[in-house]
Amino acid sequence: MTKATRADGNADGRDHPRLPRTRQGSPPSLLLTLLGDYWWGHAEPLPSAALVELLADFGVSDVAARAALSRMVKHGLLETARSGRNTFHGLTPRAQTVLSDGAARIFSFGADDGEPWDGRWSVVAFSVPEANRSVREALRTRLRWLGFAPLYDALWVSPHEHHAEALAELVELGVTAATAFVATAPDLPATVPPQSAWDLDGLAGLYQAFVDTWEPTHAALGRGSIDPVDALVRRTELMDAWRAFPGLDPDLPASLLPPGWPRPRARELFLDTYERLGVPASARVREVIARHAPELADHVAQRSTPAAPPAPTGPTVR
């Protein structure tokens, strides 16, 4: 059984299904995060030199930065324009939609809606020839993004009513040998419970590692010891790290989770740290763009959390 415990950029469902696979912390991944955080909703292209300079803050060389821009153009996420000897890159309508949908998923992920779970599972079964590897990989990525995991090889389950979306993805990929339904799982001896499709111990470890990594940054914010360049780097890396979780965590109902589940703490830490880094980080982006296209600098806008919670307090769950 495949376990959803990998947090690197190759994990199934690591990114939104409409994005090309990007390794966490890679130049294309950083570019997507930067544009999604500070240039969302804008059709105006940015000077490629400004984007290259921003990536340099992350230690990315000019050659690697320009290669990342070319890759994103190839995947239909960026459009290229030229003015004299200068090259500009802007988000395509497809990229705008993808980033908007992805942000909605990322910021809503893990929020408690207060509704009790009704005990019903979405179940999807399908058949894809082993030889059609590209479709199998794409399907796994998309199903994981929707919160599914394989209970068995071609039988995927989710605790949420996402069967209609799953069927839509199957149809889009040309998979016709498939079915989806909603069911309950009786508590019978010698049966495999649906929640065993996920390695919850491994997932809890990833959340705790996230908390351990980002608590020092949150503490530094309280001391006012983060400058704009550092704020931009940390905020981008924070988003890059957090956006892995929607593809790893099915957002199981509380009744199916072990005691002391660490996701609420990790989510609070992410939202508050991300929000508080926003002002100095956006100032750095504005500074860089102003050097290359002063007329565009005022268009920079930090993406804010829907409702940033108060600073998290108390001990972490270990």
Side-chain angles (χ1 to χ4, degrees):
M1 184 183 301
T2 302
K3 301 294 187 182
T5 59
R6 295 173 59 187
D8 61 13
N10 295 319
D12 288 340
R14 154 70 177 79
D15 289 320
H16 190 284
R18 299 301 187 276
L19 293 176
R21 285 186 169 217
T22 54
R23 178 174 51 82
Q24 185 176 333
S26 68
S29 180
L30 293 171
L31 264 176
L32 286 171
T33 305
L34 284 168
L35 291 169
D37 278 356
Y38 307 100
W39 205 245
W40 51 280
H42 293 301
E44 300 95 334
L46 288 167
S48 59
L51 297 173
V52 170
E53 184 177 344
L54 285 170
L55 285 178
D57 285 349
F58 298 84
V60 177
S61 69
D62 285 9
V63 172
R66 295 188 185 281
L69 289 169
S70 296
R71 182 185 177 195
M72 292 175 69
V73 170
K74 177 181 176 182
H75 284 285
L77 298 171
L78 290 181
E79 296 173 324
T80 303
R82 287 181 173 81
S83 177
R85 300 177 61 182
N86 298 319
T87 303
F88 295 76
H89 286 91
L91 289 166
T92 63
R94 168 180 172 249
Q96 292 276 12
T97 299
V98 166
L99 289 172
S100 178
D101 291 348
R105 173 83 168 102
I106 288 166
F107 288 120
S108 65
F109 172 70
D112 184 2
D113 60 11
E115 294 294 324
W117 184 49
D118 61 7
R120 302 199 303 169
W121 295 86
S122 290
V123 183
V124 177
F126 55 87
S127 177
V128 179
E130 183 66 37
N132 203 346
R133 180 162 298 182
S134 62
V135 171
R136 291 171 66 90
E137 286 299 309
L139 180 55
R140 288 170 180 156
T141 296
R142 297 187 185 192
L143 288 177
R144 284 202 185 281
W145 180 259
L146 290 173
F148 284 84
L151 187 59
Y152 299 104
D153 215 13
L155 183 72
W156 290 58
V157 295
S158 168
H160 307 290
E161 291 192 18
H162 293 322
H163 50 285
E165 296 100 312
L167 277 181
E169 299 290 359
L170 287 159
V171 169
E172 185 174 316
L173 289 170
V175 179
T176 56
T179 187
F181 52 91
V182 176
T184 58
D187 185 13
L188 298 174
T191 60
V192 177
Q195 60 266 35
S196 66
W198 294 273
D199 179 1
L200 295 183
D201 289 340
L203 186 56
L206 294 179
Y207 277 122
Q208 189 58 54
F210 179 91
V211 170
D212 293 342
T213 298
W214 290 102
E215 275 187 329
T217 293
H218 189 270
L221 279 166
R223 298 190 298 270
S225 57
I226 297 180
D227 63 34
V229 173
D230 197 14
L232 175 64
V233 171
R234 294 198 198 193
R235 192 174 194 247
T236 304
E237 291 177 345
L238 173 66
M239 172 59 81
D240 208 37
W242 180 257
R243 70 176 183 158
F245 285 110
L248 299 171
D249 184 346
D251 201 3
L252 289 175
S255 60
L256 298 176
L257 293 171
W261 187 241
R263 185 182 62 208
R265 167 66 183 173
R267 172 179 160 80
E268 288 181 4
L269 182 65
F270 162 67
L271 291 176
D272 192 62
T273 306
Y274 177 85
E275 185 70 18
R276 294 171 64 183
L277 285 169
V279 171
S282 60
R284 172 57 181 170
V285 176
R286 198 172 293 111
E287 175 191 16
V288 171
I289 291 177
R291 273 200 287 272
H292 300 272
E295 72 281 4
L296 296 177
D298 287 342
H299 291 266
V300 173
Q302 72 179 68
R303 187 186 289 278
S304 292
T305 60
T313 58
T316 59
V317 178
R318 297 188 180 272

